[in-house]
Amino acid sequence: MPFSNHRLSDKLLLDILSHSKEATTVYISEELHIGFVNESMLKLWHKDISILYQRLTDVAPEFASFAPILKHVWENGELYIAEDTPANIDVDGILVERFFDFEYRPVLNEEGSVYAIINTAIDVTERMAAVRNLKSKAAHEEALKEELIASNRKLFKVQEQLSETNIDLQILVDQLTENEEFLQRFIMQAPAGLTLLKGEELVYSILNPKYQELMPGRKLEGRSIFEALPELVGTVVQDMLYNVYHNGASYNMTDSLVPLSEYEYGPTVERYFTFNFTPWKNKEGLIDGVLNLVYEVTDQVKSRQEIANLNDQLYKVNTQLNMATRSARIGTWFIEPETKALTYNTVLAEIFGYEGSEPMTYDQAIAQVMPDYREYLVKEIERAINGGGFYDVIYQQKRFNDDKVIWLRSTGQISRFNDDEVSFSGVVQDISRQRLEEERKDAFIGMVSHELKTPLTSLQGYLQILSGYAAKIQNDFAGNVLEKANKQISKMTRMINGFLNVSRLDSGKIYIDREPFNMVDLLHETEEESRTSFTQNELLFLAETPAFVNADKDKIGQVLTNLISNSVKYSPSGSTIIISCVIDGADVLVTVKDEGIGIAPVDIDKLFDRYYRVESHAMKSIAGFGIGLYLCKEIIEQHKGTIGVNSSPNNGSEFWFRLPLYHPDAD
Ligand code: ADP
């Protein structure tokens, strides 16, 4: 049977459909009468076969929304396909939403009009659910992702902040470490002893090297202070520590005496400390120890005590000195070298006749000096200030209050304590009385010498006549005696001449009669004379090189003889005396050197003063008046020369004088 002619009958078709697994419904009218529905569709719809030939809208009002679509398909003959479409299924009176893929397929007759609609449907609810699930999962995941991103961002920010905080933290930690190190260094290098006594037991927990140095040999670390330093038990230090720990007191002690040993079991020594006790608080703010800062001031306190002692002694010495200067009537003064500001004691004010309320100035004092001496005195003062030396001047001045002319001896010295501390001070004595006595003595000696001179000259004449007579009658004995008598007369004449010279000096009557002569000649002449007059010593004259001076030969001869006779006088007999003359630079230098008793340094300066004699045991048996050297000095100085001595006790003396060499062209 040809295939094309065969048409399946509707019944057969429906049979086939009824066995189809695909859920199928066939609508056979425009009103949507159900002409066929298979088992699969009934299952889907939760209906039974009673719906057959009924109108869809009647048997399944829950599908009402589909009726218009079906009607549209009927009218237009257009296929309608839908997917994932929700439809409410009436399950025992409860509408349950399920999803379907379905199609409405029009079946056309030969005229091309619709006479049936085949509705197939597949329940895709599970798939949808899966898809939805998937979607929601995806959405959830998306949300999660977003959340993650967001939280990531947050995290990042937090991380950033954290890292910033970390940096801050690091800085803080660094600073802290630095601070700690600084603190450590501070404590360790502190120039004072520093320790922390921890807990009620006050255990040495931290102590710096300086602290340990206070007690180098003692074990402190880890021990209670009273165990380590038992000598503190029962002292005020213990009370203080108790007070700090229990009552929160603080102590600042200066120069406190704390008997303490430096070494373990060593002797307790009186030591002074400046220290501080402060309560040490823990994190909770509770006192948990004592902080102790300490440095030793024993040396300072001791030197202060010494200074106080010295000051005490100084005060006593000063008082004694004041008493001494008062009773010895010594005026003391002090001049500020730069400003010439003058300070002085009451004795000086009394000497100067200046007891007024206004202080006396340096200029006022100088103005009172008699004109003859003023320039000289000022020069000497200036010389001492500038040359850092000493001056000793005897001068006359008028007293302030009564214009009485007085003799003063003023000495002064500049002293340097260190580079910038200079003091110029000295003493003044009123020597008017001594001067008066000296003047009287001079006048008396002058008068006596003058009176003696005439008879002495006659005596010398008579002796010479007698000597001549003794020679004539060849009486040796008488000749010898007369020679000795002559020597004594010569000695006496020299003495008298000396005295006369002194009185002449004072009245300015000593005349210098200059003539150029060779000093070597004078030495030879003196040698000749000495041979008869100085027989107990060996006299050695050393003079060869001619040395000319323009001077008073007699007077210089007197000086030389005087120096030689002194050497003889103050040396043991038999010792050697060397007299020499050399040229030294622009001067002729004459020296007289002996091996005698020598001179003490204290006497050397005053040796050339008038009437000065050394007071010593050795001197007791040697006669003299103390005018010989004074005269020598006057004579030499009148010649613009200098005179001096190098000597020390028991080492002999070397007296010398210098006179300017004579230059014939210069005069
Ligand atoms: P005097 O008449 O006392 O000798 P001088 O003026 O000559 O007086 O001497 C003063 C003092 O100097 C003497 O008293 C003596 O103490 C001392 N003197 C002088 N020459 C010497 C010397 N060569 N050796 C030791 N002392 C001397």
Side-chain angles (χ1 to χ4, degrees):
M1 152 172 92
F3 195 75
S4 58
N5 288 339
H6 186 80
R7 288 200 59 200
L8 284 174
S9 72
D10 287 348
K11 172 118 176 59
L12 188 65
L13 214 89
L14 289 174
D15 267 355
I16 297 168
L17 284 176
S18 66
H19 289 99
S20 161
K21 281 222 169 109
E22 195 168 14
T24 311
T25 303
V26 178
Y27 305 99
I28 51 171
S29 75
E30 206 176 341
E31 284 79 31
L32 307 178
H33 282 92
I34 300 166
F36 172 82
V37 59
N38 70 359
E39 274 301 309
S40 302
M41 188 63 95
L42 288 173
K43 235 188 210 164
L44 275 191
W45 285 357
H46 270 259
K47 303 285 184 194
D48 56 38
I49 197 67
S50 64
I51 66 167
L52 194 67
Y53 306 125
Q54 305 285 328
R55 280 202 305 203
L56 176 73
T57 40
D58 295 338
V59 293
E62 65 268 27
F63 298 148
S65 60
F66 295 99
I69 307 167
L70 280 164
K71 280 193 175 151
H72 181 83
V73 171
W74 196 280
E75 281 163 11
N76 298 305
E78 284 171 8
L79 176 65
Y80 179 83
I81 298 172
E83 282 184 354
D84 303 337
T85 308
N88 288 326
I89 305 295
D90 186 344
V91 181
D92 304 327
I94 297 165
L95 294 179
V96 178
E97 190 186 53
R98 295 196 71 88
F99 291 84
F100 302 94
D101 283 355
F102 70 91
E103 66 175 51
Y104 296 151
R105 179 174 293 273
V107 185
L108 303 177
N109 59 17
E110 278 150 14
E111 286 85 40
S113 342
V114 174
Y115 80 93
I117 294 173
I118 300 171
N119 171 14
T120 51
I122 301 167
D123 188 338
V124 294
T125 309
E126 304 308 314
R127 194 188 76 199
M128 277 292 292
V131 169
R132 241 205 223 154
N133 211 352
L134 212 69
K135 272 192 183 161
S136 82
K137 256 191 188 162
H140 186 66
E141 264 171 26
E142 189 64 24
L144 267 179
K145 222 163 86 186
E146 267 173 20
E147 240 173 64
L148 209 68
I149 290 172
S151 54
N152 249 352
R153 251 187 231 129
K154 265 190 207 160
L155 208 69
F156 184 68
K157 264 209 176 136
V158 169
Q159 251 176 1
E160 265 186 356
Q161 284 173 352
L162 213 66
S163 75
E164 269 170 28
T165 323
N166 243 349
I167 292 171
D168 289 350
L169 212 67
Q170 192 55 47
I171 291 172
L172 267 178
V173 168
D174 282 356
Q175 279 178 354
L176 216 66
T177 329
E178 229 171 66
N179 279 350
E180 245 173 47
E181 277 173 12
F182 174 75
L183 204 68
Q184 186 84 6
R185 274 207 307 274
F186 174 75
I187 291 175
M188 287 305 156
Q189 295 179 17
L194 199 59
T195 186
L196 174 62
L197 302 164
K198 280 278 296 255
E200 195 172 1
E201 293 293 304
L202 301 174
V203 173
Y204 280 110
S205 63
I206 302 177
L207 55 115
N208 71 351
K210 272 272 180 271
Y211 194 96
Q212 184 70 66
E213 271 172 32
L214 296 172
M215 289 153 278
R218 305 189 74 163
K219 181 175 164 11
L220 304 173
E221 189 135 24
R223 291 173 95 183
S224 148
I225 184 169
F226 298 113
E227 186 198 338
L229 313 173
E231 61 265 49
L232 291 182
V233 178
T235 66
V236 282
V237 174
Q238 189 180 24
D239 298 343
M240 283 182 202
L241 284 169
Y242 183 89
N243 232 347
V244 179
Y245 190 84
H246 293 283
N247 306 325
S250 287
Y251 290 94
N252 280 316
M253 306 300 293
T254 312
D255 304 346
S256 262
L257 173 66
V258 180
L260 204 62
S261 163
E262 271 193 37
Y263 304 96
E264 202 87 47
Y265 313 116
T268 308
V269 185
E270 289 214 337
R271 298 168 70 183
Y272 292 85
F273 298 92
T274 287
F275 64 89
N276 158 291
F277 285 146
T278 323
W280 172 262
K281 290 183 180 161
N282 62 13
K283 275 188 214 145
E284 287 75 43
L286 299 172
I287 296 175
D288 190 29
V290 176
L291 198 63
N292 175 208
L293 182 73
V294 56
Y295 52 92
E296 185 161 10
V297 289
T298 307
D299 288 349
Q300 290 94 314
V301 170
K302 292 229 161 117
S303 49
R304 264 212 306 277
Q305 285 172 347
E306 259 168 43
I307 288 172
N309 270 347
L310 281 177
N311 264 341
D312 242 31
Q313 284 175 14
L314 203 69
Y315 176 77
K316 277 181 201 151
V317 169
N318 232 341
T319 318
Q320 285 167 356
L321 199 71
N322 273 342
M323 274 165 58
T325 51
R326 269 212 76 78
S327 53
R329 302 230 20 99
I330 296 173
T332 59
W333 55 263
F334 173 86
I335 292 174
E336 213 290 304
E338 296 240 314
T339 60
K340 298 263 170 35
L342 175 69
T343 35
Y344 48 87
N345 70 353
T346 47
V347 178
L348 188 124
E350 283 162 20
I351 292 174
F352 280 34
Y354 197 94
E355 291 114 315
S357 51
E358 281 288 304
M360 169 175 61
T361 65
Y362 171 77
D363 288 338
Q364 278 174 321
I366 293 296
Q368 292 302 113
V369 176
M370 295 301 278
D372 283 356
Y373 298 93
R374 199 177 295 145
E375 197 187 330
Y376 176 62
L377 177 69
V378 172
K379 243 196 204 156
E380 281 295 282
I381 291 175
E382 292 292 338
R383 185 190 53 76
I385 291 177
N386 300 326
F390 177 82
Y391 84 81
D392 182 353
V393 176
I394 290 171
Y395 63 98
Q396 280 185 299
Q397 91 170 34
K398 256 191 198 167
R399 260 203 323 231
F400 275 101
N401 51 5
D402 55 8
D403 277 351
K404 190 178 163 200
V405 175
I406 51 172
W407 278 98
L408 298 180
R409 176 171 183 178
S410 174
T411 54
Q413 189 161 22
I414 196 129
S415 327
R416 274 170 225 279
F417 298 108
N418 34 51
D419 280 354
D420 48 338
E421 243 185 282
V422 178
S423 118
F424 185 50
S425 55
V427 297
V428 172
Q429 276 173 291
D430 185 345
I431 52 160
S432 303
R433 197 135 28 98
Q434 290 99 299
R435 281 302 288 211
L436 193 68
E437 272 168 22
E438 272 172 25
E439 273 167 20
R440 282 195 191 134
K441 205 149 108 189
D442 286 349
F444 174 74
I445 289 172
M447 184 195 66
V448 170
S449 313
H450 191 77
E451 292 303 314
L452 280 176
K453 208 172 157 54
T454 326
L456 208 60
T457 317
S458 325
L459 199 61
Q460 206 165 15
Y462 294 141
L463 280 177
Q464 271 162 10
I465 293 167
L466 263 181
S467 291
Y469 180 68
K472 202 172 171 186
I473 62 167
Q474 292 181 338
N475 187 335
D476 289 348
F477 174 73
N480 269 343
V481 172
L482 282 169
E483 196 184 324
K484 279 180 185 151
N486 240 328
K487 263 190 202 166
Q488 292 306 319
I489 293 286
S490 300
K491 229 180 185 175
M492 228 167 165
T493 311
R494 270 207 303 278
M495 239 187 291
I496 299 272
N497 280 338
F499 291 139
L500 274 175
N501 275 334
V502 171
S503 51
R504 275 188 199 135
L505 260 182
D506 273 357
S507 48
K509 282 182 205 147
I510 185 164
Y511 297 112
I512 302 292
D513 191 7
R514 286 173 191 264
E515 53 164 338
F517 68 91
N518 186 354
M519 192 63 87
V520 175
D521 293 343
L522 179 65
L523 254 71
H524 287 154
E525 284 160 30
T526 312
E527 188 177 2
E528 278 304 308
E529 281 170 25
S530 302
R531 214 165 269 146
T532 48
S533 33
F534 307 119
T535 49
Q536 290 153 340
N537 295 73
E538 192 186 338
L539 267 56
L540 225 63
F541 284 81
L542 309 173
E544 279 155 27
T545 320
F548 281 85
V549 290
N550 189 24
D552 187 323
K553 196 175 176 185
D554 276 353
K555 298 240 161 28
I556 301 298
Q558 245 178 58
V559 170
L560 193 57
T561 312
N562 208 313
L563 294 182
I564 295 168
S565 79
N566 270 353
S567 283
V568 169
K569 223 156 96 181
Y570 300 107
S571 298
S573 52
S575 64
T576 310
I577 295 162
I578 303 168
I579 303 99
S580 68
C581 161
V582 291
I583 292 176
D584 186 33
D587 296 330
V588 175
L589 173 65
V590 179
T591 52
V592 178
K593 191 171 171 359
D594 64 46
E595 299 164 346
I597 58 172
I599 303 152
V602 283
D603 295 311
I604 284 184
D605 281 345
K606 300 170 220 147
L607 228 51
F608 297 91
D609 289 352
R610 181 154 44 167
Y611 304 124
Y612 188 83
R613 298 204 73 219
V614 172
E615 280 173 28
S616 72
H617 184 71
M619 288 290 298
K620 289 232 157 65
S621 54
I622 307 169
F625 294 98
I627 57 157
L629 288 179
Y630 168 70
L631 270 174
C632 291
K633 188 171 179 239
E634 288 298 327
I635 292 166
I636 295 296
E637 282 179 356
Q638 291 229 14
H639 282 88
K640 299 208 167 23
T642 47
I643 186 165
V645 62
N646 307 321
S647 179
S648 61
N650 305 320
N651 279 324
S653 308
E654 184 182 40
F655 280 84
W656 55 263
F657 66 83
R658 286 169 176 278
L659 289 174
L661 256 178
Y662 172 60
H663 297 288
D665 307 337
D667 285 348

